[in-house]
Structure formats: C-alpha cells, structure tokens
C-alpha cells in the first residue's frame, strides 16, 4: 500500500498538531452550546474521532452517509443520502465534520438540508480544502479548515481511492500509475 504513495503531504504529526488547534478553537466557540457533531461517513471518520477527542465541551455525536465519487476521481455534482441522522437536530448547534471540500456540492447541499430541519446554527469543520476546484456558483467557506491542498487527488487518513487507502495514518498523493491500473 505504501508503495502506491508518491509523496506524503501531511504527516501524522502535522495532522495531529493542526487538529489539536482546531479542537481548541471549537471548544472556545462552543462553550455552553452543547453542539451536535455530525460525521460525514466514511471519509471524515479518522478526522472526526481525533477532532472530538480534542474538544472539551459537552457534545453529542451523529453520523450521515452521502454518495460522493464512487470509484471515480471526479464529483458528479449529485448528492444522495445513503444513511440519515438518527437524532433530531431541531434547535441544535450543528457542526458538520467532513474530510475535504472539493467542488463544494456535498457541503452546500447538506448545509441547506440540515438548516431546513430547524438547526439553531450550522458550521463546517473540514480537514482539507481544494479552493481551486470549487464549482461555479458555489461560495462555500469552511468555518474550521485544517489545510489547503492544490488540484491533486489525495488519499489516507479516511480519504480513499476506490475505497482503499483510508487506513493510512497520513495524507499523501497516489502515484499516477495507480489510476492507470
Ligand atoms: P465535493 O462535493 O465535490 O466537495 O466532494 C467532496 C467529496 O469528494 C469528499 O467528501 C470526498 O469524499 C471526495 N473527494 C474530493 N476530493 C478528494 C480527494 O482528493 N481524495 C479523496 N476523496 C476526495
Ligand atoms: Mg466523503
């Protein structure tokens, strides 16, 4: 698996250091607010569990799965809910936790959808952002953003290519020959 990685973009240590800062910032902002932390499966799962361990205000957890790339490396622009929340978010302060903002379709759709369910507030915590890939007309900004990346496909620490590489403890770029098979 490691042989498929061209180079490491963010090491375990870099990820953990940044996530500690993000957790501290969220803890300050959400004192007394008991936020509901929504994990977008599966890509955000590593980030989610590490982030939550660095937040020291009372919070609740919930999970959602949406369709994204399938086995392709380009977003279709369509968002399908595969697994919905198991709790009500009415009057709750919601923080959506996602691995990466690419075109921005997924998170702008989810933000609108969860707002329509009567959340008291909705903010976004995202590990990675690819600002250069934002779709026309999408003006999405993450409230808590870990790192910016360029226009390249990254894997590891939850992020996959064709469902693999999620268990790498760091984030890296695949060798081109891996896509070409
Ligand atoms: P968006 O709706 O285009 O913003 O796509 C967001 C989703 O696409 C993320 O939740 C990821 O699942 C997937 N994605 C986008 N870029 C990458 C990448 O570089 N590696 C792995 N998955 C990615
Ligand atoms: Mg995803």
């Amino acid at each position: 698996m490691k042989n498929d990685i061209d180079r490491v973009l963010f090491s375990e240590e870099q990820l953990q250091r940044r996530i500690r800062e993000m957790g501290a910032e969220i803890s300050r902002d959400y004192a007394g607010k008991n936020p509901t932390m929504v994990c977008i499966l599966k890509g955000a799962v590593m980030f989610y569990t590490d982030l939550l361990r660095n937040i020291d205000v009372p919070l609740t957890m919930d999970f959602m799965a949406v369709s994204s790339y399938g086995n392709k490396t380009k977003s279709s622009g369509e968002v399908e809910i595969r697994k919905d929340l198991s709790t009500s978010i009415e009057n709750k302060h919601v923080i959506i936790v996602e691995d990466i903002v690419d075109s921005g379709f997924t998170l702008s759709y989810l933000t609108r959808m969860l707002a329509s369910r009567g959340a008291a507030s909705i903010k976004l915590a995202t590990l990675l952002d690819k600002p250069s890939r934002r779709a026309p007309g999408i003006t999405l900004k993450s409230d808590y953003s870990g790192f910016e990346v360029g226009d390249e496909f990254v894997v590891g620490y939850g992020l996959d290519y064709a469902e693999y590489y999620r268990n790498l403890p760091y984030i890296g770029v695949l060798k081109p020959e891996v896509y070409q098979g």
Side-chain angles (χ1 to χ4, degrees):
M1 193 171 61
K2 285 182 194 139
N3 297 334
D4 294 349
I5 301 298
D6 194 38
R7 62 189 201 283
V8 174
L9 281 187
F10 305 109
S11 69
E12 255 185 284
E13 292 70 29
Q14 283 175 298
L15 292 171
Q16 295 306 324
R17 198 176 323 127
R18 182 70 187 114
I19 291 168
R20 271 199 300 278
E21 293 172 355
M22 296 172 81
E25 202 185 335
I26 292 173
S27 302
R28 281 194 298 276
D29 294 352
Y30 282 82
K33 287 190 174 163
N34 296 17
T36 296
M37 309 294 299
V38 173
C39 176
I40 307 304
L41 298 170
K42 295 172 257 191
V45 74
M46 307 289 187
F47 173 48
Y48 183 79
T49 57
D50 283 338
L51 180 66
L52 266 61
R53 278 178 281 196
N54 284 285
I55 299 177
D56 67 0
V57 300
L59 56 79
T60 59
M61 298 167 69
D62 210 337
F63 298 85
M64 216 173 190
V66 300
S67 69
S68 58
Y69 283 12
N71 289 351
K72 304 187 298 284
T73 56
K74 288 257 162 62
S75 180
S76 61
E78 274 161 46
V79 180
E80 179 202 340
I81 306 296
R82 298 232 174 111
K83 180 214 172 296
D84 207 338
L85 299 174
S86 64
T87 52
S88 165
I89 53 159
E90 205 180 337
N91 300 321
K92 292 283 197 177
H93 294 287
V94 173
I95 303 180
I96 303 176
V97 181
E98 173 63 308
D99 50 3
I100 186 165
V101 194
D102 189 45
S103 69
F105 281 124
T106 307
L107 283 176
S108 38
Y109 177 85
L110 285 176
T111 306
R112 264 182 283 121
M113 197 194 73
L114 297 186
S116 76
R117 295 185 187 180
S121 68
I122 299 176
K123 288 202 175 182
L124 306 177
T126 55
L127 182 62
L128 303 177
D129 189 5
K130 285 185 190 170
S132 65
R133 299 242 329 145
R134 212 68 90 244
I138 302 243
T139 54
L140 187 99
K141 218 191 144 304
S142 181
D143 301 283
Y144 305 97
S145 178
F147 301 95
E148 282 194 4
V149 290
D151 185 5
E152 47 191 356
F153 198 77
V154 296
V155 296
Y157 196 67
L159 292 126
D160 73 305
Y161 171 64
E163 292 298 330
Y164 285 98
Y165 307 103
R166 295 191 195 273
N167 55 323
L168 288 173
Y170 50 82
I171 289 175
V173 180
L174 282 180
K175 290 178 180 163
E177 56 262 37
V178 177
Y179 302 106
Q180 286 140 22

